[in-house]
Amino acid sequence: MKFDSNRAWTQASQAVSANREVVLALAGVFFLVPQLAFAIFYPQPEMGTGMNEQQVMAAVKAYYTSVLPVMIPLALLQAAGTLSLLCLLDTDRRPTVGEAIRAGVKGLVPYLVAQILLGLGLGAVVLTVAGVLAAVGGNLGAAIGLAIALAVGVAVFVRFSVTAPVVAVEKTLNPIMALGRSWTLTKGHTARLLGFYALLGLAMVVLMIFGNILTLPIALLAPAEVVRVVAAIVESIMATIMALYFVAVIAQVHRQLAGPSAAQATRTFE
């Protein structure tokens, strides 16, 4: 079976539309409100025109060090929201909102452990490849190593891109088994999935540019504080929309690659 990107996008859009009220409510709680609060109360530092590279790096480091205690709970909340949305969009089981949230929270720790294991493994490979090539070929070797590491990182992202629905929908709570299941499902579909994700990413970039254009008249006319708040609202809404559709797409990618669930197959022959 070949992966059909058009069918995945169509079904993802239909799933969001069919469950619009509950999906938007869930996305608002887990993505929009936390993202908006973070953007308003923890704005990124402004970089002065006279700052050198060291000063910029120091400002960025100080900012992220100060907001790290807030970013970690925010990331956990959004991870739980992702898993809850995946459960809610599981049309085979049709869970209630409460059931979806409980399932998302239950799968949070296995999903995070899977992501940590994946990050550690990928980081070790990248550092090894880049370090060896840098030692052998100097700056040129380091550049080649970074290019290879980037290509490996992209391929790994594609192969493990359905780990979240494996945890949320298939209820696979063993992190290693969840990663292995994602690797198996995406086997033979890497190129098609990569092209699909690239187009999806491009569409998201265009959406963000459109959001910035919408705030341009306000930026020219309103006071700086009003501009900051409006920009935070628009960016948070855009980010929430992108997150929602990305989750819906991943759900349909998993559904297409995994095929119908056992319950759905049983109902087909009844």
Side-chain angles (χ1 to χ4, degrees):
M1 180 194 72
K2 290 184 178 180
F3 171 71
D4 187 340
S5 58
N6 290 330
R7 182 157 66 94
W9 172 252
T10 300
Q11 291 177 339
S13 301
Q14 291 174 346
V16 172
S17 298
N19 303 275
R20 185 182 299 108
E21 290 79 9
V22 290
V23 165
L24 290 178
L26 213 58
V29 171
F30 285 100
F31 293 97
L32 179 58
V33 173
Q35 182 72 29
L36 181 57
F38 182 82
I40 291 177
F41 295 109
Y42 298 93
Q44 294 189 3
E46 295 183 3
M47 303 300 173
T49 54
M51 296 176 66
N52 57 36
E53 183 179 351
Q54 288 77 13
Q55 290 173 326
V56 171
M57 292 300 295
V60 171
K61 181 180 179 180
Y63 170 73
Y64 281 105
T65 300
S66 66
V67 300
L68 187 61
V70 180
M71 291 182 67
I72 292 176
L74 180 63
L76 292 175
L77 187 63
Q78 292 183 341
T82 297
L83 297 174
S84 299
L85 280 172
L86 286 168
C87 293
L88 193 63
L89 293 170
D90 182 10
T91 54
D92 287 349
R93 295 182 178 87
R94 298 186 181 279
T96 64
V97 174
E99 290 172 344
I101 293 176
R102 285 193 293 272
V105 172
K106 184 178 180 180
L108 181 59
V109 172
Y111 174 66
L112 291 176
V113 172
Q115 295 304 304
I116 292 171
L117 292 175
L118 180 59
L120 291 175
L122 182 59
V125 172
V126 168
L127 290 176
T128 300
V129 172
V132 170
L133 290 178
V136 174
N139 292 335
L140 178 60
I144 295 174
L146 288 175
I148 294 175
L150 179 61
V152 171
V154 171
V156 167
F157 163 76
V158 172
R159 294 302 301 270
F160 292 109
S161 60
V162 295
T163 302
V166 167
V167 173
V169 178
E170 296 187 14
K171 314 299 182 187
T172 303
L173 301 182
N174 183 313
I176 296 177
M177 291 182 64
L179 290 171
R181 173 66 170 163
S182 178
W183 183 272
T184 300
L185 289 175
T186 55
K187 183 178 181 181
H189 305 283
T190 306
R192 288 177 177 271
L193 287 172
L194 177 59
F196 181 44
Y197 293 150
L199 289 175
L200 186 62
L202 180 61
M204 291 180 175
V205 169
V206 172
L207 183 62
M208 290 301 295
I209 293 174
F210 177 70
N212 290 331
I213 292 174
L214 288 178
T215 61
L216 187 58
I218 299 175
L220 296 174
L221 300 173
E225 186 62 21
V226 174
V227 172
R228 187 180 71 83
V229 173
V230 171
I233 293 172
V234 173
E235 289 175 5
S236 298
I237 291 173
M238 295 296 179
T240 300
I241 293 173
M242 290 189 295
L244 174 57
Y245 274 90
F246 183 76
V247 171
V249 163
I250 293 298
Q252 294 305 321
V253 169
H254 168 262
R255 182 180 176 84
Q256 192 175 139
L257 296 180
S261 66
Q264 179 66 21
T266 300
R267 286 197 298 267
T268 301
F269 291 100
E270 286 179 351

